[in-house]
């Protein structure tokens, strides 16, 4: 008797440990190695596979190995019912270490506590600040021992938590932190879809499948074994469960008639096992199945019969297991099977019981009440609206939109349903999920004829659509909204035109400009809309708007003080009007106080990067490009990603990395239709032309620059094309196309008129000097350098000085040439523009000066963009923690970068950084 009981216990132990890791030896070794203690750098690994492939088992082994080696482990497991609960996954992961978060800087600590619902906050926490708080906390935890973060069933982790994890993954360089993520093979994982190593757990081969069956308590034989192998198709969980099911139902291994359940029918097996359990056990199992992971403890103790004895039959059946955190299902399919096998009334009672148990947690309670409700219910709808408000204040936009959508479904009044669906559509814009926004807008249309609500929903769709490649459709939708808003005298008119202007900029379509102009006079004149009105004018036609907008900009910016959204819009206006210094200052002010409105780049978000590029802050420009590309890629916003790639391609070309520049530019062109996205097309051609110049290939350079204008000489894009004028002239002269370039320059000058910016005046002056007959060039060179405002654009200024110095040297005016060439060389060296450095050195040698190598600046430019930023901030006296706050890095990562760059820069002390960074 005792031996029989021990045998049954051994059998339960074998089954409850999950499928044995058979046929996964290579994957197990790799994952366990990464989880071992002693790592000195960060690592991200994504484990994918079908349900039952063994992902959870391998992640569990990794966690055991990490603990056994002296490391720390944080773990979070996604569940379907938690998907819409904002930051639930993050809360589950950090709950064991929340006390250690008290040591975070105050702003980070407050932001983290706010999104986790621990404390209220007046404003939406900055998403970047929340990510930095988690990054800093993980870095601090890893100070004493390597840290393993395990994310299982990531396809069900809520979007807010997933965005934070993606932020951390991109920035945890040099941290002894390993991030292991398990996700179903067919599920997208925003933020982790590119750039990370993956291990895919495919079906087991025949040998491994047979070995796994041999390890079962009752190994199947004969025809039953053959059929199990065939129908399990190499899925480990299916092999184990089919073997178990046939052993129970057909202990002799024969007489199995009819089809065996295959992988997608495994839920029936689990449900069948649960059906034979005692009533108290089935009740608490259903309660556990209806609960979120965070509710499991409440579920386990929530009913009188939920004592240890009630769980024993479920344990014997292999449905649950007990670990340090309590009782949980052995596999998500068990939970799903138990829940789906229950009647609706049984599920409803379970959710109502949980709602009663969770009265102190209003968000979880609201969702359980919603799950128990099928008819309209004003009280439940109101509870969900409050949940949405709390989620939005915490920056959980996906959770907020989901709650608003469900609140609409449960609202008894049709007009309230329409309003809530409209609000959900506006909120869902910040998730980047265009399909969801379109679905919500369609639901509004089915629900109401209220034109104001229909227009708001359509505006939300158009705003998000404008960040993708469908510009013609986006503009048509936005201009329709604007037209209807104008007829209704609605304030929505200006919002619609502002979004339409972004599409006009991207597309470069002249007919779109005419439509915007036709509606602008119908915009009501009120002070609150002044910044947005300036935006529409500048974005849709900067050359015409500059003369009267530029003087008004400082006043508009002063009035917008404290409003990060308006400041950002006005910074973009300043960039478009070539007020680069003002734009940079305004961007910096806006970003210092930015309160997150979602994980998406704004329309024309790359303007911040272009501003930094034009100022010579190339490392920062690349950082902006990298952030926008990562966010846009995770949200599936191809156009925004393409804009970021063109920015990065341009910097790479200027740094003298033509192959990388071409790759980025070509990547941008594959993401868009060049006919619908003329801005991207011209920016990309500019980068490709500069890459050719870096290689001395002026034929290719001329072809690329000339493509920014039509055969007749008109700009392909009304704003971007003019920035190529001087480069086009320089390449044309070397290719023998001087007359064509001269004609194009004059045609452009006539189109731009007398109100052109100082920057365009300087570019046009340089271009005219290059194409002029040598004896007539000097006045144009002097005009290009006459305005001190040109110092805002150091690279372009240095190019003009180099060209002028070359002209003077060839006219044998060596003494006048040398200062110009020396100043140009200094600028190129400071920026790290290697091809132009070499050309300036060659000119100086021809002028009788052997330019000494500038070792320190040269070494500085060899650093990565992020390292350059760290060095520059450290040179200003900022601490590692302060630098981390600004660059959204952990203090440890900052320190690690500085440790590595000191030898490269030839310095030994932090005080020497000022000399290196200039």
């Amino acid at each position: 008797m005792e031996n029989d009981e021990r045998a049954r216990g051994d059998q339960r132990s074998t089954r409850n440990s999950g499928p044995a890791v058979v046929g996964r030896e290579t994957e197990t070794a790799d994952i366990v190695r990464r989880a071992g203690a002693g790592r000195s750098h960060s690592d991200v690994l994504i484990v994918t596979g079908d349900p039952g492939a063994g992902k959870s088992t391998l992640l569990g082994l990794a966690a055991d190995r990490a603990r056994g080696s002296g490391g720390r482990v944080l773990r979070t497991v996604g569940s379907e019912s938690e998907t819409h609960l904002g930051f639930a996954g993050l809360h589950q992961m950090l709950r064991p270490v929340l006390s250690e978060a008290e040591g975070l800087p105050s702003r980070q600590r407050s932001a983290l506590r706010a999104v986790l619902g621990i404390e209220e906050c007046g404003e939406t926490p900055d998403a970047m600040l929340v990510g930095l708080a988690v990054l800093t906390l993980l870095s601090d935890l890893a100070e004493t021992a390597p840290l393993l973060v395990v994310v299982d069933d990531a396809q069900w982790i809520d979007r807010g938590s997933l965005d934070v994890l993606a932020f951390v993954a991109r920035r945890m360089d040099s941290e002894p932190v390993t991030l292991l993520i398990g996700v179903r093979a067919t599920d997208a994982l925003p933020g982790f879809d590119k750039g990370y190593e993956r291990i895919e757990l495919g079906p087991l081969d025949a040998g491994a499948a047979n070995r796994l069956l041999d390890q079962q308590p009752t190994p199947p034989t004969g025809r039953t074994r053959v059929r199990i192998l065939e129908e399990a198709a190499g899925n480990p969980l299916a092999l184990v469960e089919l073997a178990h099911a046939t052993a129970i139902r057909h202990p002799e291994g024969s007489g199995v008639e009819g089809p065996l359940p295959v992988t997608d029918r495994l839920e029936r097996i689990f449900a069948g096992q649960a059906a034979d359990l005692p009533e108290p056990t089935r009740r608490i199992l259903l309660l556990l199945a209806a609960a979120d992971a965070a509710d499991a403890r409440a579920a386990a103790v929530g009913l009188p019969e939920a004592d240890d004895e009630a769980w024993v039959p479920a344990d014997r059946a292999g449905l649950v297991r007990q670990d340090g955190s309590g009782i949980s299902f052995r596999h998500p399919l068990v939970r799903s099977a138990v829940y789906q096998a229950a009647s609706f009334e049984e599920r409803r009672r379970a959710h109502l019981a949980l709602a009663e148990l969770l009265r102190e947690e209003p968000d979880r309670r609201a969702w359980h009440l919603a799950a128990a409700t099928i008819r309209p219910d004003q009280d439940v709808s109101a509870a969900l609206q409050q949940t949405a408000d709390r989620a939005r204040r915490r920056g959980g936009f996906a959770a907020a939109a989901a709650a608003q959508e469900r609140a609409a479904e449960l609202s008894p009044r049709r007009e309230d349903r329409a309003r809530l669906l409209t609000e959900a559509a506006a909120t869902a814009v910040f998730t980047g999920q265009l399909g969801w926004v379109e679905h919500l807008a369609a639901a509004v249309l089915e629900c109401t004829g209220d034109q104001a609500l229909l227009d708001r929903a359509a505006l939300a769709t158009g705003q998000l659509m404008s960040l993708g490649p469908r510009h013609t459709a986006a503009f048509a939708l936005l201009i329709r909204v604007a037209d209807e808003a104008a007829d209704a005298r609605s304030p929505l008119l200006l919002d619609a035109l502002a979004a339409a202007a972004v599409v006009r900029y991207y597309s470069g379509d002249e007919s779109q400009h005419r439509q915007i102009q036709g509606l602008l006079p119908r915009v009501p004149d009120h002070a609150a809309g002044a910044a947005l009105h300036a935006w529409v004018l500048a974005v849709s036609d900067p050359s015409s708007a500059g003369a009267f907008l530029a003087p008004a900009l400082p006043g508009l910016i002063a009035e917008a003080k404290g409003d990060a959204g308006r400041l950002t819009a006005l910074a973009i206006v300043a960039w478009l009007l070539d007020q680069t210094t003002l734009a940079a200052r305004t961007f910096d002010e806006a970003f210092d106080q930015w309160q997150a409105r979602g994980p998406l780049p704004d329309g024309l978000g790359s303007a911040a990067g272009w501003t930094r590029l034009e100022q010579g802050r190339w490392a920062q420009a690349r950082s902006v490009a990298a952030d926008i590309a990562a966010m846009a890629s995770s949200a599936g916003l191809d156009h925004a990603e393409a804009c970021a790639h063109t920015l990065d391609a341009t910097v790479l070309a200027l740094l003298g990395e033509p192959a990388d520049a071409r790759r980025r530019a070509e990547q941008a062109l594959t993401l868009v239709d060049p006919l619908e996205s003329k801005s991207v097309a011209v920016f990309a051609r500019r980068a490709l032309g500069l890459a050719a110049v870096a290689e001395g290939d002026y034929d290719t350079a001329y072809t690329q620059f000339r493509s920014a204008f039509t055969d007749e000489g008109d700009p392909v894009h009304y704003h971007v094309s003019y920035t190529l004028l001087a480069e086009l002239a320089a390449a044309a002269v070397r290719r023998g196309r001087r007359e064509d370039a001269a004609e194009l320059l004059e045609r452009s000058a006539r189109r731009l008129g007398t109100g052109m910016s100082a920057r365009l005046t300087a570019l046009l002056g340089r271009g005219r000097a290059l194409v002029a007959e040598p004896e007539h060039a000097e006045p144009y060179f002097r005009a290009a350098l006459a305005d001190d405002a040109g110092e805002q654009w150091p690279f372009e200024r240095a190019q003009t000085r180099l060209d002028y110095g070359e002209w003077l040297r060839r006219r044998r005016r060596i003494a006048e040439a040398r200062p110009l060439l020396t100043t140009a060389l200094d600028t190129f060296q400071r920026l790290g523009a290697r091809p132009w450095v070499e050309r300036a050195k060659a000119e100086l040698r021809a002028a009788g000066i052997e330019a000494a190598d500038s070792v320190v600046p040269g070494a500085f430019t060899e650093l990565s963009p992020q390292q350059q930023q760290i060095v520059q901030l450290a040179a200003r006296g900022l601490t590692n923690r302060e630098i981390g706050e600004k660059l959204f890095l952990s203090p440890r990562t900052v320190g690690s970068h500085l440790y590595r760059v000191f030898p490269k820069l030839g310095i030994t002390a932090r005080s020497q950084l000022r000399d290196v960074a200039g």
Side-chain angles (χ1 to χ4, degrees):
M1 184 76 171
E2 184 178 343
N3 289 339
D4 289 345
E5 185 61 34
R6 186 182 299 116
R8 284 194 292 272
D10 291 343
Q11 179 175 323
R12 288 197 304 272
S13 175
T14 301
R15 286 185 46 73
N16 289 352
S17 67
V21 188
V22 175
R24 307 288 192 208
E25 290 79 10
T26 301
E27 296 92 337
T28 301
D30 191 9
I31 292 172
V32 169
R33 174 183 57 79
R34 291 167 186 260
R39 299 187 63 82
S40 60
H41 62 277
S42 63
D43 197 6
V44 179
L45 179 65
I46 301 171
V47 183
T48 68
D50 292 332
K55 303 182 296 296
S56 298
T57 301
L58 291 182
L59 295 181
L61 282 173
D64 291 343
R65 169 61 185 272
R67 293 189 191 96
S69 301
R72 301 188 70 166
V73 178
L74 294 178
R75 186 164 188 155
T76 185
V77 182
S79 68
E80 285 183 277
S81 59
E82 267 190 322
T83 301
H84 299 311
L85 203 57
F87 299 101
L90 192 63
H91 187 275
Q92 185 188 153
M93 183 182 89
L94 297 180
R95 185 167 48 188
V97 294
L98 283 177
S99 61
E100 299 183 59
E102 294 304 309
L104 292 172
S106 59
R107 289 177 65 232
Q108 295 181 32
R109 183 177 64 251
S110 296
L112 181 59
R113 290 175 62 84
V115 299
L116 295 181
I118 298 173
E119 66 181 43
E120 290 292 327
C121 62
E123 296 179 320
T124 302
D126 189 310
M128 300 280 271
L129 198 58
V130 174
L132 179 59
V134 176
L135 178 64
T136 305
L137 177 58
L138 297 184
S139 177
D140 289 346
L141 292 171
E143 284 283 354
T144 55
L147 177 66
L148 174 66
V149 178
V150 177
V151 182
D152 201 0
D153 285 320
Q155 70 276 359
W156 292 325
I157 294 290
D158 64 278
R159 183 60 185 268
S161 297
L162 202 58
D163 287 339
V164 171
L165 288 169
F167 175 97
V168 170
R170 293 195 298 270
R171 290 168 173 81
M172 62 182 196
D173 181 44
S174 303
E175 308 288 346
V177 178
T178 298
L179 177 58
L180 293 183
I181 301 176
V183 63
R184 289 187 176 180
T186 56
D187 287 271
L189 198 61
F192 292 94
D193 52 349
K194 297 177 184 176
Y196 297 107
E197 186 177 350
R198 289 175 174 259
I199 291 180
E200 182 173 359
L201 302 182
L204 298 180
D205 61 29
N210 274 293
R211 291 199 304 277
L212 182 56
L213 289 179
D214 288 338
Q215 291 182 4
Q216 301 313 300
T218 307
T221 59
R223 186 161 59 93
T224 300
R225 186 184 188 96
V226 172
R227 295 188 60 198
I228 289 174
L229 288 169
E230 288 176 351
E231 298 197 30
N235 184 282
L237 183 63
L239 287 161
V240 172
E241 295 307 324
L242 290 172
H244 180 58
T246 54
I248 291 175
R249 297 173 189 174
H250 307 278
E252 302 304 320
S254 61
V256 182
E257 300 299 337
L260 288 175
V262 292
T263 305
D264 61 352
R265 301 178 199 165
L266 282 174
E267 290 185 11
R268 298 182 186 178
I269 297 175
F270 296 125
Q273 292 172 339
D276 297 331
L277 297 174
E279 173 65 17
T281 302
R282 284 194 288 113
R283 288 186 63 192
I284 60 173
L285 270 181
L286 178 57
L287 197 68
L288 187 63
D292 296 332
D295 306 338
R297 190 174 299 278
V301 299
L303 295 177
E305 57 267 53
D307 54 22
D308 290 343
E309 289 302 315
W311 290 110
V312 171
D315 178 51
R316 285 177 177 163
L319 298 175
V320 298
R321 60 183 166 204
Q322 186 163 9
D323 53 31
S325 60
I327 296 173
S328 61
F329 286 108
R330 188 166 48 81
H331 191 276
L333 286 176
V334 181
R335 178 176 187 257
S336 179
V338 169
Y339 188 80
Q340 296 302 327
S343 67
F344 172 76
E345 182 57 31
E346 290 172 325
R347 294 198 298 266
R348 191 182 74 84
R349 286 198 299 266
H351 284 295
L352 288 174
L354 285 166
E356 183 64 27
L357 290 168
L358 295 166
R359 282 190 168 276
E360 301 303 314
E361 298 188 46
D363 293 341
R364 297 182 186 282
R365 179 174 183 271
W367 276 110
H368 283 298
L369 288 173
T373 306
I374 55 172
R375 294 184 181 86
D377 187 308
Q378 184 58 46
D379 291 340
V380 179
S381 178
L384 284 169
Q385 291 175 54
Q386 293 170 5
T387 288
D389 291 341
R390 284 188 289 268
R392 191 168 49 239
R393 287 197 298 271
R394 298 198 302 267
F397 295 96
Q404 288 167 331
E405 183 177 14
R406 183 66 176 129
E409 294 169 355
L410 294 176
S411 180
R413 301 175 66 234
R414 189 180 182 87
E415 54 268 36
D416 287 339
R417 288 200 298 275
R419 174 182 55 80
L420 287 166
L421 286 168
T422 304
E423 291 175 3
T427 304
V429 167
F430 299 111
T431 70
Q433 299 178 47
L434 179 59
W436 190 11
V437 175
E438 289 176 327
H439 165 75
L440 291 166
V444 175
L445 182 60
E446 290 180 5
C447 197
T448 186
D450 186 329
Q451 196 59 51
L453 290 178
L454 292 173
D455 285 346
R456 282 182 60 200
L459 175 61
T461 305
Q463 287 173 323
L464 188 53
M465 195 185 296
S466 69
L467 296 176
R470 296 159 52 191
H471 290 145
T472 301
F475 186 84
L477 177 59
L478 291 166
I479 213 69
R480 191 202 78 204
V481 172
D483 199 38
E484 291 170 350
D487 291 340
R489 299 179 180 275
S490 166
L492 209 63
L493 170 57
L494 195 52
D495 292 310
L497 287 179
V502 174
V503 182
R504 144 71 173 163
Y505 184 88
Y506 289 153
S507 71
D509 190 291
E510 200 56 36
S511 67
Q512 293 178 356
H513 178 220
R514 290 193 293 272
Q515 292 180 73
I516 292 172
Q517 279 186 313
L519 284 168
L520 262 176
R522 302 175 68 181
V523 173
D525 187 15
H526 55 91
L532 209 53
H533 198 277
W535 163 276
V536 175
L537 292 171
V539 171
S540 57
D541 189 8
S543 60
S544 298
F548 65 91
L549 268 185
L553 260 183
L556 290 172
I557 290 169
E559 291 171 10
K561 196 170 187 65
D563 186 334
R566 286 171 64 196
L567 285 171
T568 302
L570 290 168
I572 293 172
V573 170
W575 169 70
L576 288 163
L577 301 184
D578 288 328
Q579 302 281 317
T580 302
T581 300
L582 179 62
R585 189 164 62 244
T586 309
F587 273 127
D588 289 343
E589 182 180 351
F591 293 167
D592 279 346
Q593 40 180 273
W594 185 254
Q595 297 298 313
R597 293 181 298 172
L600 301 181
D602 278 358
L604 296 182
S606 291
W610 287 110
T611 299
R612 286 156 173 75
L613 181 149
E614 291 161 12
Q615 278 196 310
R617 296 157 66 182
W618 291 355
Q620 293 180 33
R622 292 202 69 194
S623 292
V624 170
D627 284 342
I628 291 177
M631 288 186 288
S633 175
S634 67
L637 302 175
D638 289 350
H639 192 274
E641 184 180 356
C643 290
H645 288 327
T646 60
L647 170 61
D648 199 40
T650 305
V651 181
L652 287 166
L654 295 174
L655 289 169
E657 300 177 25
D660 290 339
R662 277 194 295 272
R663 189 175 66 254
R664 278 278 189 273
E666 288 162 1
Q667 189 176 3
L669 290 172
T670 62
L671 288 168
V672 299
D673 178 351
L675 297 178
E676 283 215 25
S677 301
K678 294 188 179 73
S679 61
V680 167
V682 177
F683 271 132
R685 298 299 176 193
R686 178 185 175 195
L688 290 169
L690 288 168
V693 170
E695 294 179 314
D697 180 2
Y698 291 97
D699 282 345
T700 299
Y702 176 79
T703 301
Q704 296 292 354
F705 294 143
R706 185 63 180 80
S707 70
F709 296 86
T710 66
D711 291 342
E712 294 75 26
D714 294 327
V716 169
H717 189 272
Y718 61 94
H719 176 246
V720 186
S721 289
Y722 291 125
T723 65
L724 280 71
L725 284 172
E727 298 291 357
L728 171 60
V733 169
R734 290 175 178 269
R735 196 177 180 230
R737 301 296 297 268
R738 188 187 302 264
E739 290 182 6
D740 178 61
E743 183 180 338
L744 193 149
L745 286 170
E746 297 312 315
R747 186 182 181 93
S748 296
R750 289 192 296 272
R751 287 181 67 100
L752 289 166
T754 57
M756 71 178 78
S757 68
R759 182 187 180 200
L760 288 180
T761 299
L763 291 175
L764 192 62
R766 179 188 170 216
R768 282 170 162 165
L770 291 168
V771 300
E773 293 298 327
E775 61 272 18
H776 302 307
E778 188 163 23
Y780 295 121
F781 278 127
R782 289 185 177 276
L785 294 170
D787 193 339
D788 289 340
E791 299 298 335
Q792 294 178 81
W793 309 287
F795 178 75
E796 293 170 4
R797 191 80 157 180
Q799 284 181 299
T800 304
R801 287 185 171 122
L802 175 59
D803 290 335
Y804 189 17
E806 182 181 27
W807 181 88
L808 288 168
R809 182 190 61 76
R810 290 180 177 177
R811 309 289 289 180
R812 300 187 183 282
R813 294 162 60 180
I814 304 298
E816 294 172 79
R818 286 172 176 170
L820 288 166
L821 295 173
T822 300
T823 304
L825 176 61
D826 288 344
T827 300
F828 293 142
Q829 285 180 324
R830 176 172 59 82
L831 296 175
R834 287 190 292 270
W836 287 267
V837 167
E838 296 308 314
R839 185 180 151 203
K841 284 182 177 180
E843 285 298 324
L844 277 169
R845 283 194 295 271
I849 297 177
E850 190 64 40
D853 287 331
S854 181
V855 177
V856 170
F860 176 73
T861 59
E862 292 294 329
L863 303 179
S864 71
Q866 189 176 77
Q867 288 172 335
Q868 289 183 32
Q869 286 184 278
I870 290 170
V871 167
Q872 288 169 333
L873 292 171
R876 286 165 44 189
L878 274 69
T879 66
N880 288 1
R881 191 168 285 270
E882 289 169 337
I883 295 169
E885 286 259 1
K886 283 189 170 292
L887 301 184
F888 301 101
L889 299 170
S890 73
R892 179 201 289 270
T893 295
V894 174
S896 177
H897 278 302
L898 288 173
Y899 177 80
R900 293 201 301 269
V901 303
F902 271 33
K904 295 180 183 178
L905 298 173
I907 62 175
T908 56
R910 202 175 181 111
S911 59
Q912 296 173 280
L913 290 172
R914 190 176 295 106
D915 298 328
V916 173

